[in-house]
Amino acid sequence: MKFSKLYSAQPHNLSGSIVDVEIDISRGLHSFSIVGMASKAVDESKDRVNSAIKNAGYDAPKSKNEKLVISLAPAELKKDGSYYDLAIALGYLISSGEIEFNPDKKLFLGELSLDGSVKPVHGVLPIVQAAKENNFEEIFLPIENAIEAALVDGIKIYPVRSLKDVISHLDINLDENKLIEVQESTKIEEIVETHNIDFSDIKGQEIVKRGLEIAAVGGHNVAMFGPPGTGKTMLARAFSSILPTLSRDDMLEITGIHSVAGTLENSEVLTKTPVRSPHHTSSYVSIIGGGTNPRPGEITLAHRGVLFLDEFPEFDKKVLESLRQPLEDRIVTIARSSGTATFPASFILIAAMNPCPCGFYGSDKKQCICSAYDIMRYKKKISGPIIDRIDIWLPVEHVDYEKLSEKNVSTKISPEIRERVIRAREFSKNRNKNNTLNVEINARDIQNMEFSSDVRKVLNNSAEKMNLSPRAYHRVIKLARTIADMESKKDIEINHILEALQYRPQI
């Protein structure tokens, strides 16, 4: 009977937390306890570990008269999930003297089935990154998580199928089959994204397409409004086809986020721009994130991508108002009694809405049946602060039937637009010292921008006539800067200011 110490981990917010798994066995009446702020899922591991050890061919803890204490440290971290099963089982076998190996600089991760097989877990990528930062050299985890884990260079990844596989590899008293290390060969190759909808599939709407191209260059938020059936949803779905492909760092970041959230399919690397489109009946927590142990919501799952909110005014008022911080600061902070979590939320918002409850206010195709009060109440669902944070407001009108009946040209135009977007972003990055998108330019950088006297006069006179808030004033400048970047112009000109102003809402 002896003491043993192994290492495991779990995701905490969007990073990994290393946990010491300490096992002590002493003589006495049988007991099996887990301490260290363990949740119900962790406490249930006692039965999983007992059966897994028995079915691996070793004496199970419950078959012996001994006192078994398992401590998960640090104690102040709430332990949740089934991440610790493999470490607990191996620690028990070391303490009971049934196997022998050196656990130093090794990390064990995985849920045990009753038959001893190892099942996959969520949040592996941030855990492996944390293990590398803490100087671990080897990590043993479920084979289903191996591809995701191998994205991190500089640490040996051993995929395992069962508890017996790990024992055969590590026990110094055995000379059996050894596990094969996953090589650092999981390289993210250049991805050619395919999209179901191309901008060439959408008839007309040239003004809207121009506005969406500007949004793609500068990362600006967009709202489209118009009668039902005019193509707002289709335009929003085509938007991702003109966005640049993700960088390797962005792929790793969003893969880690989706891994923690449990939305990563088959542990594959996310190489495409994330596009999230929650229904307007979605709850506050599902959109913003939260819970007893805060988890990312849709706005974080849309990080580095697009958040499409169809029927924008129909979302709960609490949800709409909670978008203020992420739209401004590109993060969302969730405070709970147990602590505070800050999640990234740098996305492009695409909102779609009707001009009134029936959808036909101002339409020349069908008469609106809404009262003046209904229209006013509908518009008031979107507050001034939210309107201010949306840079581009685009009317989506009916397209003539003659235009709709035209035969579609096979040539796709989204790749051409994407190339223009990439060139404009490169021009912008060469000018911005911190290489941020124009929507992220801060107030100090705006104040340092040089304007000609004519440009400044047009801007200030227009802002006064339109009664722009200081925030909207700055956002007009950012939008004008993006339009200038699209023309590779060093300075903002009057036509850039005028085009930026025309995208402000007439509300």
Side-chain angles (χ1 to χ4, degrees):
M1 305 295 180
K2 62 178 182 178
F3 168 86
S4 65
K5 179 178 179 180
L6 284 80
Y7 302 94
S8 188
Q10 72 171 48
H12 179 61
N13 295 338
L14 294 180
S15 60
S17 294
I18 306 300
V19 174
D20 299 346
V21 180
E22 300 174 336
I23 298 95
D24 182 73
I25 301 176
S26 58
R27 297 188 183 278
L29 293 176
H30 172 75
S31 67
F32 191 158
S33 60
I34 299 177
V35 298
M37 206 171 173
S39 69
K40 180 67 173 175
V42 177
D43 191 62
E44 288 175 348
S45 68
K46 293 185 289 189
D47 293 319
R48 294 194 297 270
V49 167
N50 186 79
S51 295
I53 291 175
K54 180 186 67 175
N55 290 315
Y58 296 90
D59 292 335
K62 289 188 176 181
S63 65
K64 302 177 182 179
N65 285 328
E66 57 190 18
K67 182 179 181 182
L68 173 59
V69 179
I70 297 171
S71 174
L72 305 177
E76 67 270 12
L77 174 68
K78 183 174 176 58
K79 317 304 185 304
D80 195 19
S82 54
Y83 301 91
Y84 310 106
D85 290 10
L86 183 58
I88 291 173
L90 292 171
Y92 170 78
L93 291 173
I94 291 177
S95 294
S96 63
E98 297 194 59
I99 64 174
E100 184 180 357
F101 70 89
N102 181 11
D104 190 37
K105 296 189 180 299
K106 297 179 178 66
L107 189 139
F108 303 93
L109 200 65
E111 176 185 339
L112 288 176
S113 293
L114 299 185
D115 63 356
S117 59
V118 181
K119 301 175 68 174
V121 291
H122 298 313
V124 164
L125 183 56
I127 289 175
V128 178
Q129 290 171 329
K132 180 184 176 182
E133 292 170 3
N134 285 273
N135 300 317
F136 282 88
E137 297 176 354
E138 301 175 14
I139 181 168
F140 297 80
L141 44 70
I143 193 169
E144 292 87 349
N145 297 125
I147 294 177
E148 179 185 348
L151 293 172
V152 181
D153 296 336
I155 186 170
K156 295 180 179 179
I157 307 297
Y158 289 102
V160 300
R161 296 182 183 275
S162 67
L163 174 62
K164 205 165 185 178
D165 286 347
V166 186
I167 296 171
S168 297
H169 178 83
L170 292 174
D171 192 352
I172 63 174
N173 299 315
L174 296 177
D175 187 19
E176 299 186 16
N177 296 332
K178 300 296 183 182
L179 296 172
I180 300 176
E181 174 191 351
V182 175
Q183 300 299 317
E184 297 173 0
S185 59
T186 310
K187 305 298 182 185
I188 302 177
E189 300 177 355
E190 184 176 350
I191 302 298
V192 179
E193 291 193 39
T194 56
H195 300 272
N196 294 328
I197 303 177
D198 188 89
F199 265 35
S200 61
D201 299 326
I202 303 168
K203 306 294 185 180
Q205 308 296 0
E206 300 306 323
I207 294 176
V208 183
K209 292 176 183 177
R210 165 71 176 178
L212 291 176
E213 182 176 346
I214 295 171
V217 171
H220 302 281
N221 301 313
V222 179
M224 296 182 289
F225 57 95
T230 51
K232 299 186 294 294
T233 301
M234 192 173 181
L235 284 160
R237 290 176 177 170
F239 180 69
S240 63
S241 68
I242 65 172
L243 292 176
T245 54
L246 296 169
S247 67
R248 176 183 170 85
D249 289 342
D250 288 343
M251 290 179 188
L252 290 178
E253 185 181 18
I254 64 173
T255 298
I257 291 171
H258 285 256
S259 177
V260 171
T263 59
L264 199 62
E265 295 182 3
N266 301 322
S267 193
E268 294 180 352
V269 184
L270 290 181
T271 57
K272 292 186 178 181
T273 302
V275 178
R276 307 296 296 185
S277 179
H279 193 263
H280 62 264
T281 58
S282 300
S283 67
Y284 169 83
V285 172
S286 68
I287 300 291
I288 305 303
T292 305
N293 297 316
R295 299 181 65 82
E298 291 290 336
I299 63 173
T300 300
L301 297 177
H303 183 60
R304 304 298 182 195
V306 179
L307 179 67
F308 175 45
L309 299 183
D310 202 2
E311 305 296 341
F312 192 52
E314 300 300 334
F315 280 84
D316 187 81
K317 184 77 171 178
K318 183 181 178 182
V319 171
L320 295 180
E321 293 306 310
S322 64
L323 291 175
R324 293 187 187 189
Q325 184 196 17
L327 290 180
E328 190 73 27
D329 301 330
R330 325 300 284 180
I331 59 172
V332 60
T333 303
I334 300 170
R336 294 291 183 267
S337 58
S338 58
T340 300
T342 299
F343 298 136
S346 181
F347 56 84
I348 298 176
L349 173 66
I350 304 292
M353 57 185 289
N354 296 327
C356 66
C358 79
F360 295 100
Y361 177 71
S363 172
D364 57 357
K365 300 293 183 181
K366 194 171 182 179
Q367 185 177 0
C368 174
I369 60 173
C370 302
S371 66
Y373 174 74
D374 290 336
I375 296 173
M376 180 185 68
R377 188 177 64 174
Y378 186 77
K379 289 183 176 181
K380 285 181 68 176
K381 289 183 177 180
I382 306 175
S383 66
I386 295 298
I387 292 174
D388 264 1
R389 288 168 167 83
I390 299 177
D391 301 338
I392 303 175
W393 290 75
L394 300 170
V396 185
E397 306 293 346
H398 280 286
V399 179
D400 293 337
Y401 299 121
E402 292 287 338
K403 187 78 172 176
L404 287 174
S405 61
E406 289 180 358
K407 187 176 181 180
N408 193 21
V409 181
S410 59
T411 304
K412 294 185 179 295
I413 63 172
S414 285
E416 299 174 10
I417 299 175
R418 185 194 295 125
E419 288 301 317
R420 295 201 298 265
V421 170
I422 292 172
R423 286 197 298 269
R425 283 197 179 189
E426 286 299 321
F427 184 85
S428 173
K429 287 181 179 180
N430 291 334
R431 187 193 69 257
N432 291 338
K433 295 179 181 179
N434 50 3
N435 290 332
T436 60
L437 294 174
N438 287 335
V439 74
E440 298 171 348
I441 296 174
N442 59 42
R444 180 175 297 177
D445 291 335
I446 291 176
Q447 291 172 0
N448 292 333
M449 287 183 181
E450 297 291 339
F451 298 99
S452 68
S453 58
D454 291 340
V455 170
R456 190 174 297 277
K457 182 178 180 181
V458 169
L459 173 62
N460 292 341
N461 288 343
S462 300
E464 186 173 353
K465 289 180 181 179
M466 297 175 69
N467 195 26
L468 297 181
S469 68
R471 179 188 290 111
Y473 179 84
H474 280 172
R475 285 186 170 269
V476 167
I477 295 174
K478 294 178 186 180
L479 192 57
R481 181 63 265 176
T482 298
I483 298 170
D485 289 340
M486 295 172 69
E487 299 177 5
S488 300
K489 294 292 181 66
K490 180 181 178 182
D491 298 318
I492 296 176
E493 300 174 359
I494 291 178
N495 61 303
H496 304 144
I497 293 291
L498 293 177
E499 183 174 359
L501 287 167
Q502 80 173 18
Y503 294 121
R504 292 307 304 171
Q506 306 299 317
I507 298 177

